[in-house]
Amino acid sequence: EPEVTQTPSHQVTQMGQEVILRCVPISNHLYFYWYRQILGQKVEFLVSFYNNEISEKSEIFDDQFSVERPDGSNFTLKIRSTKLEDSAMYFCASIRQGRTDTQYFGPGTRLTVL
Amino acid sequence: GESVGLHLPTLSVQEGDNSIINCAYSNSASDYFIWYKQESGKGPQFIIDIRSNMDKRQGQRVTVLLNKTVKHLSLQIAATQPGDSAVYFCAENRAAGNKLTFGGGTRVLVKP
């Protein structure tokens, strides 16, 4: 069964450093998402991406965040200058086509900012 | 503002019994609802969904009920098994957007 994959599974970084989280969505999917989940809290939407551009973003997704689909398979989330409060699980998700298609999530990357 | 919330943070259930997990939403524009299961250290896993033109949908051992009058969603798990132990989230998708808004989660603990 096809699945969303994410690397690394755990990323430890120093405050102020840049990190890039990587995702490989399901191959025939067209819509891509990043969510985050701070420990013990609910999953929060960050950004959605379609047709090589951001289609929606939350207030969390400020100028420190960016997304990119550098090739036909990868979807990345970059945090330019990490803060302590960026520590969280980051989930990538994708859907095939329509809004009510099932949104499949990856296993997540745990980001720890020291 | 829009919100999706859960009534019970933790539900303990005896193996073999049925589980009911509840969720309230406040956005009347929501037209698509999904239940996800999240096991420790893993990403949310799709369980079942329902569109706003339905009030009930059944899957394998799971049933989702939607009451639009009171903006309430529930997930029923029949004959709960140890493998059902996880955190369950409801999520909603508004008609105008394509993002999911998640509720706070309910932890289900299955006692043998």
Side-chain angles (χ1 to χ4, degrees):
Chain A
E1 183 177 318
E3 58 184 14
V4 177
T5 60
Q6 291 184 242
T7 54
S9 57
H10 192 187
Q11 175 85 50
V12 181
T13 190
Q14 295 291 324
M15 188 171 56
Q17 295 296 305
E18 174 184 286
V19 294
I20 298 176
L21 310 183
R22 292 182 165 79
C23 168
V24 178
I26 295 173
S27 63
N28 63 347
H29 285 196
L30 301 178
Y31 293 80
F32 314 114
Y33 306 83
W34 283 101
Y35 292 82
R36 78 170 187 189
Q37 184 179 32
I38 294 171
L39 185 63
Q41 298 186 22
K42 62 184 180 182
V43 177
E44 301 174 288
F45 170 80
L46 291 178
V47 66
S48 57
F49 191 86
Y50 170 72
N51 199 26
N52 283 319
E53 61 183 22
I54 290 173
S55 52
E56 190 172 356
K57 60 184 180 179
S58 73
E59 62 274 9
I60 302 169
F61 195 89
D62 61 21
D63 292 343
Q64 293 300 310
F65 290 87
S66 62
V67 289
E68 193 178 30
R69 189 157 163 81
D71 52 42
S73 60
N74 290 284
F75 179 51
T76 62
L77 174 69
K78 181 193 290 186
I79 309 175
R80 261 180 276 281
S81 179
T82 50
K83 303 187 283 286
L84 295 176
E85 54 265 37
D86 293 328
S87 295
M89 283 289 289
Y90 288 80
F91 294 107
C92 174
S94 67
I95 60 173
R96 186 173 62 87
Q97 187 171 336
R99 193 175 59 81
T100 55
D101 281 342
T102 301
Q103 198 161 136
Y104 292 94
F105 284 76
T109 292
R110 178 170 297 283
L111 176 65
T112 302
V113 182
L114 303 176
Chain B
E2 61 188 64
S3 66
V4 182
L6 294 168
H7 296 304
L8 299 173
T10 303
L11 175 66
S12 292
V13 61
Q14 201 69 37
E15 181 179 355
D17 288 351
N18 297 335
S19 302
I20 299 176
I21 306 165
N22 297 301
C23 179
Y25 66 95
S26 60
N27 193 330
S28 301
S30 298
D31 66 346
Y32 178 55
F33 303 89
I34 313 101
W35 281 100
Y36 283 92
K37 172 186 180 183
Q38 187 178 28
E39 296 173 284
S40 181
K42 298 183 178 180
Q45 177 187 357
F46 173 87
I47 301 173
I48 192 168
D49 58 3
I50 188 167
R51 301 188 187 194
S52 59
N53 61 352
M54 304 172 68
D55 53 22
K56 181 179 179 179
R57 189 162 189 227
Q58 288 185 287
Q60 188 177 17
R61 281 202 307 118
V62 293
T63 301
V64 55
L65 299 177
L66 175 62
N67 185 330
K68 294 181 289 295
T69 303
V70 295
K71 299 190 188 73
H72 186 266
L73 190 70
S74 69
L75 176 71
Q76 300 177 4
I77 305 173
T80 314
Q81 302 170 358
D84 295 327
S85 292
V87 177
Y88 290 81
F89 293 94
C90 62
E92 54 120 349
N93 195 335
R94 294 171 300 138
N98 62 354
K99 68 179 186 183
L100 294 181
T101 300
F102 282 80
T106 292
R107 181 175 301 281
V108 172
L109 298 174
V110 181
K111 297 178 288 186

